[in-house]
Amino acid sequence: MASDLAQNDLREELVVVPLRHPWRWFSGAVIVLVIGGLGWAMAEAQIQWEDVPGFFTHPVMLEGLLNTIVLAVCAQGGAIVLGVVIALMRLSANPVARWFAVGYIWLFRGLPVLLQILIWFNLALVFQNISIPMLFSVPTNVVMTAFVAALLGLGLNESAYMAEIVRAGLSSVDSGQTEAAKSIGMTPMTTLRRVVLPQAMRVIIPPTGNNFINMIKGTSMASVIAFLELIHAANNISSRNLEIMETLFAAAAWYLVMVSVASIGQHYLERAYGPR
Amino acid sequence: MALVEAIGVRKSFGHTEVLRGIDLEVERGEVVCLLGPSGAGKSTFLRCVNHLETIDAGRIWVDGVPVGFRAAGGKLHELREHEVARQRRDVGMVFQRFNLFPHRTALENVMEGPVQVLRRARSEVRAEALALLERVGLAEKAGAYPGQLSGGQQQRVAIARALAMKPKLMLFDEPTSALDPELVGEVLDVMTSLARDGMTMIVVTHEIGFARSVADRVVFLVDGAVVESGTPADVLDNPQQPRTQQFLAKVF
Ligand SMILES: Nc1ncnc2c1ncn2[C@@H]1O[C@H](COP(=O)(O)OP(=O)(O)OP(=O)(O)O)[C@@H](O)[C@H]1O
Ligand SMILES: [Mg+2]
């Protein structure tokens, strides 16, 4: 008893020595040094930094920005709609629809996007007209503008990925949910809209957000067919003043802005459809 | 005419015949308990009544309507999925695993059918749904999501969700089998009061006590066929068939 008391007294006086983390300090310092070195190198580099803001807001750059956004949003939007359709075909009871979906995904996911853009853009070389007999006929080179070719190349490729994402999302919903919906008399369409899709969203949104960010950057491939997106805009500007790096940096800044905005949007979407 | 008439119902999955010609009639207001060993085909039969499974032979009539078909010109025409959906409005179903919609609150779960399927006005449906939640003892949980409710509470919401469609017939597939023992009673109480109010019910259950006190008739199913059927007193206390005797000996 007496010794217990004595120990208690001792415990009161014990001083706590926090665990030290010397390596954290060291690695932190190394990282700061590396970043500082890079910053110094950038400042010393032969770059006309003061010209970059001007290129950032240059009218041609802004036109390129607008075209990039329109292309990315249209391609992604179309891909989501097509992806849902292909995913439903992939899961349908109709074997012809299932096989079509498999073939579609195999083809449009299998070919490089750049190749697909080039094929669409050069379609006029092999088909003079696009027509459905008795209904309509238009010259291919009128329809297949750079924008349309880029939209098809990017959108169709993305739709194949979206089909797989949507399929995974739909399959992730427990079959008991569909049965419960049926048991209260829901039609298949209402079941999809009210019960299955809202729950599939949790699985669908994160990869779709990532894909959209990829899509934003992927629009740069349309520069090869002279579509005026950001990179092509930067090249147009620098072809006159030869400030290649400065204009590219201005374009780079725009990509980072767009990607940041998209990431924030993705965050809120994920929260809206998150678990309860 | 009986509310449910099943005649010679057969169903196979691949090469295994799960239902081998089931005949069953359920009168209006009657409570029938389906008993039988695992794999007997109890769930499958219940799902056929709601056309969640298509039967291979035989016929099921609910309230004079052939399930999954339309009678016209002396023939039965197979229905499209949205027409089957219309038939299912009159039959409520409660599942072993509750299957509440996890992205909607208890109240929204109950309102979903009347609003989305019957296209009724929200305000009116809301009042009814709250009354139903009150009836299953969950008025104060209206705003809770299924994930925030106990199993017993979820199952009671599921019963309210089925009742919201004002069904003529309620099907229960082992409604208490996924519950902790102390939560079984609250669900059985709700079912008992439903039976007292005159609801026609087909209940698959292993709760012999419930069958004894609530069922008008007990039907014993083995290997896809009805082996014995009668009042609880007859079938449970004085079984005639060896299979029934064996099963009851194990359950008690
Ligand atoms: N979708 C299905 N595909 C293939 N076989 C199935 C399917 N559903 C049920 N079965 C089989 O049919 C038989 C009867 O199943 P059912 O679920 O109707 O039995 P049960 O009497 O409800 O049994 P339990 O008491 O275990 O729920 C089982 O052998 C089961 O494996
Ligand atoms: Mg079962």
Side-chain angles (χ1 to χ4, degrees):
Chain A
M1 268 299 158
S3 73
D4 262 353
L5 261 177
Q7 269 190 357
N8 272 346
D9 288 346
L10 247 178
R11 275 183 208 156
E12 305 262 306
E13 287 158 26
L14 289 178
V15 175
V16 176
V17 181
L19 183 59
R20 314 248 172 221
H21 299 284
W23 284 105
R24 279 191 200 166
W25 284 100
F26 177 75
S27 51
V30 170
I31 292 168
V32 169
L33 267 178
V34 168
I35 291 175
L38 282 175
W40 179 78
M42 285 302 235
E44 287 295 292
Q46 296 185 354
I47 295 172
Q48 264 37 77
W49 286 110
E50 63 281 6
D51 292 351
V52 174
F55 296 142
F56 189 70
T57 54
H58 194 288
V60 176
M61 189 66 84
L62 293 182
E63 196 185 339
L65 173 70
L66 182 67
N67 286 339
T68 294
I69 292 173
V70 170
L71 179 58
V73 169
C74 289
Q76 190 69 42
I80 289 172
V81 174
L82 263 178
V84 171
V85 173
I86 299 296
L88 290 176
M89 291 174 90
R90 182 82 175 70
L91 296 171
S92 98
N94 182 343
V96 181
R98 273 204 311 272
W99 280 108
F100 175 82
V102 170
Y104 181 98
I105 293 167
W106 173 78
L107 183 68
F108 288 110
R109 197 174 60 174
L111 295 174
V113 181
L114 187 55
L115 179 76
Q116 294 191 46
I117 292 176
L118 288 171
I119 287 177
W120 287 114
F121 192 59
N122 291 300
L123 206 63
L125 297 178
V126 287
F127 298 111
Q128 249 107 58
N129 294 297
I130 295 174
S131 65
I132 292 178
M134 323 272 279
L135 276 181
F136 74 92
S137 173
V138 282
T140 305
N141 54 13
V142 171
V143 181
M144 203 51 74
T145 60
F147 175 78
V148 172
L151 183 68
L152 286 173
L154 288 162
L156 292 178
N157 174 259
E158 176 61 16
S159 72
Y161 283 98
M162 282 310 305
E164 291 293 87
I165 292 171
V166 172
R167 180 171 71 98
L170 295 179
S171 312
S172 77
V173 180
D174 183 56
S175 63
Q177 290 291 308
T178 317
E179 297 197 339
K182 282 180 175 176
S183 79
I184 56 171
M186 276 194 187
T187 59
M189 263 320 282
T190 313
T191 304
L192 185 68
R193 188 170 55 81
R194 296 286 302 177
V195 177
V196 178
L197 267 183
Q199 294 183 63
M201 280 308 194
R202 239 196 308 162
V203 175
I204 293 175
I205 286 174
T208 305
N210 287 343
N211 279 18
F212 181 56
I213 285 168
N214 261 329
M215 174 65 79
I216 291 173
K217 296 175 292 176
T219 53
S220 59
M221 279 182 277
S223 61
V224 297
I225 54 172
F227 178 68
L228 189 76
E229 46 65 64
L230 277 173
I231 304 247
H232 194 63
N235 287 342
N236 273 3
I237 299 170
S238 61
S239 66
R240 273 170 257 159
N241 55 27
L242 301 181
E243 293 193 57
I244 293 172
M245 275 305 235
E246 289 77 358
T247 52
L248 284 181
F249 278 4
W254 273 124
Y255 280 112
L256 290 179
V257 169
M258 286 189 291
V259 167
S260 306
V261 171
S263 303
I264 293 167
Q266 180 182 15
H267 172 78
Y268 281 103
L269 263 181
E270 274 175 33
R271 222 171 53 176
Y273 284 97
R276 306 276 187 206
Chain B
M1 190 184 186
L3 183 66
V4 181
E5 279 184 78
I7 304 162
V9 173
R10 289 179 177 274
K11 172 73 185 172
S12 300
F13 290 112
H15 291 298
T16 43
E17 191 164 45
V18 174
L19 301 180
R20 306 164 187 258
I22 295 204
D23 299 316
L24 182 73
E25 283 193 6
V26 183
E27 299 295 333
R28 277 163 220 279
E30 199 181 16
V31 176
V32 172
C33 278
L34 283 184
L35 262 53
S38 181
K42 307 181 296 290
S43 300
T44 306
F45 177 74
L46 218 56
R47 293 161 57 78
C48 288
V49 174
N50 213 0
H51 208 264
L52 289 175
E53 303 285 357
T54 314
I55 60 181
D56 301 332
R59 207 61 68 215
I60 301 177
W61 305 73
V62 174
D63 202 16
V65 177
V67 173
F69 294 92
R70 176 169 26 88
K75 288 184 181 154
L76 288 180
H77 301 268
E78 214 174 321
L79 293 183
R80 293 177 186 289
E81 193 56 36
H82 68 266
E83 295 168 313
V84 176
R86 180 166 279 275
Q87 288 188 341
R88 290 197 190 105
R89 292 176 181 185
D90 295 337
V91 181
M93 185 151 188
V94 175
F95 302 86
Q96 184 175 351
R97 304 213 43 84
F98 329 135
N99 296 344
L100 287 180
F101 306 132
H103 55 304
R104 305 195 191 285
T105 63
L107 181 65
E108 288 166 347
N109 265 277
V110 179
M111 291 174 64
E112 188 71 5
V115 171
Q116 294 300 324
V117 177
L118 302 178
R119 302 251 159 245
R120 293 177 48 204
R122 286 195 85 84
S123 54
E124 177 188 314
V125 170
R126 198 185 146 80
E128 278 182 23
L130 284 169
L132 277 171
L133 285 176
E134 175 93 56
R135 178 169 174 190
V136 299
L138 288 172
E140 80 285 6
K141 295 288 183 187
Y145 285 93
Q148 302 165 331
L149 299 174
S150 75
Q153 292 171 334
Q154 288 188 55
Q155 193 61 298
R156 286 184 282 153
V157 173
I159 293 173
R161 176 177 67 180
L163 291 177
M165 295 297 288
K166 302 193 173 124
K168 297 170 185 159
L169 169 69
M170 284 285 285
L171 308 173
F172 293 85
D173 190 1
E174 301 198 30
T176 57
S177 294
L179 297 179
D180 291 338
E182 73 270 23
L183 302 179
V184 168
E186 62 190 51
V187 172
L188 292 183
D189 286 347
V190 169
M191 292 169 61
T192 305
S193 88
L194 203 55
R196 300 258 182 280
D197 291 348
M199 176 61 78
T200 312
M201 297 164 50
I202 305 179
V203 185
V204 174
T205 186
H206 293 300
E207 298 290 333
I208 302 294
F210 174 81
R212 191 191 303 280
S213 60
V214 179
D216 298 302
R217 197 145 51 88
V218 172
V219 174
F220 190 70
L221 217 66
V222 178
D223 288 341
V226 175
V227 178
E228 197 159 352
S229 146
T231 64
D234 287 344
V235 177
L236 297 177
D237 300 328
N238 192 16
Q240 299 302 309
Q241 300 295 324
R243 291 302 305 262
T244 319
Q245 290 163 357
Q246 280 168 22
F247 177 77
L248 289 173
K250 256 185 238 157
V251 174
F252 284 125

